[in-house]
Amino acid sequence: MRHLLLVPMAWLLAGCPVDFQGWGGMKQQPKALPYRESTFFADERAMRQPPVGTVPRDRRGKDRFYLTGKDTPDGGYVESIPLTLTREVVESGGKSFDIYCATCHGVLGDGVSQVARNMGLREPPSLVDLPGYPDGYYYDVITQGYGLMPSYADKLTPEQRWAVVAYVRALQESQRAGLEDVPPEARPRLMKEGPP
């Protein structure tokens, strides 16, 4: 009977972490942490400066205005989107908008959403009713955040942020459009379908 109890105990102990020869696993391995000293380098700093003349991979060939949405050092915003606007760019911006923006700003960008209705401090604005801000302003808000809205720079690349701006512009145009903006050949079909 005693031997039968030893077998389950051996299985139980085998599942417990065991420190073999002082090795504590990955948590206790030597590593360089930011802002810590290091005896490995001559200057005794763990953080390394990039080699002189190098540029981060995501900034190669990009102008400052492309990365910031601002075209002057004093903060003037870029007037237009620095991408070649294609259907694919706008549609990719729509996908990012649906993931990150529509939960608060609404699917139509009108500020109507379940999340917006339940916000206690301040509802998100309608993107359709905003004043005529330049495109760089929208890019900067996506990059830096604004008020209760966090920054999305860690979630969206610069290209994706500009694509979202393009989609917001498309939403604004679509929500402000009248019958006179519809091509004449498409008007009969639109009139037949009627309002939603």
Side-chain angles (χ1 to χ4, degrees), residues 109-183:
D110 56 4
V112 177
S113 72
Q114 188 64 39
V115 172
R117 279 187 225 114
N118 292 325
M119 286 187 133
L121 295 174
R122 180 176 173 227
E123 290 184 3
S126 165
L127 301 176
V128 177
D129 298 331
L130 288 177
Y133 293 121
D135 293 335
Y137 172 80
Y138 291 101
Y139 180 86
D140 186 52
V141 168
I142 295 168
T143 304
Q144 302 295 328
Y146 185 85
L148 298 175
M149 178 180 152
S151 165
Y152 287 93
D154 61 334
K155 295 173 179 57
L156 298 169
T157 66
E159 291 81 6
Q160 290 172 319
R161 283 178 260 158
W162 282 115
V164 169
V165 173
Y167 184 74
V168 167
R169 290 300 195 199
L171 277 178
Q172 290 172 339
E173 289 298 317
S174 71
Q175 298 305 302
R176 295 177 185 154
L179 187 59
E180 64 278 359
D181 297 317
V182 177

Side-chain angles (χ1 to χ4, degrees), residues 9-30:
M9 289 298 291
W11 281 104
L12 181 65
L13 291 175
C16 295
V18 179
D19 186 10
F20 293 108
Q21 299 176 350
W23 185 74
M26 294 180 75
K27 289 183 179 178
Q28 296 177 0
Q29 67 181 343

Side-chain angles (χ1 to χ4, degrees), residues 4 25 32 67 112 143 145 178 191:
L4 291 175
L67 297 171
V112 177
T143 304
M191 296 301 289

Side-chain angles (χ1 to χ4, degrees), residues 10-148:
W11 281 104
L12 181 65
L13 291 175
C16 295
V18 179
D19 186 10
F20 293 108
Q21 299 176 350
W23 185 74
M26 294 180 75
K27 289 183 179 178
Q28 296 177 0
Q29 67 181 343
K31 56 188 165 260
L33 298 172
Y35 304 106
R36 300 285 171 88
E37 293 180 1
S38 170
T39 58
F40 185 78
F41 297 104
D43 60 3
E44 297 182 351
R45 294 186 305 172
M47 292 177 67
R48 310 308 310 148
Q49 292 293 326
V52 178
T54 59
V55 178
R57 208 173 23 172
D58 60 341
R59 295 187 184 177
R60 280 185 306 210
K62 306 290 193 259
D63 295 324
R64 180 176 39 81
F65 72 85
Y66 183 87
L67 297 171
T68 64
K70 298 176 182 177
D71 58 2
T72 59
D74 63 349
Y77 292 111
V78 173
E79 290 294 325
S80 60
I81 299 168
L83 295 176
T84 303
L85 293 182
T86 62
R87 183 181 190 103
E88 291 77 24
V89 168
V90 176
E91 286 176 351
S92 72
K95 289 177 184 173
S96 296
F97 182 90
D98 288 344
I99 293 168
Y100 297 107
C101 311
T103 52
C104 293
H105 291 287
V107 176
L108 299 177
D110 56 4
V112 177
S113 72
Q114 188 64 39
V115 172
R117 279 187 225 114
N118 292 325
M119 286 187 133
L121 295 174
R122 180 176 173 227
E123 290 184 3
S126 165
L127 301 176
V128 177
D129 298 331
L130 288 177
Y133 293 121
D135 293 335
Y137 172 80
Y138 291 101
Y139 180 86
D140 186 52
V141 168
I142 295 168
T143 304
Q144 302 295 328
Y146 185 85
L148 298 175

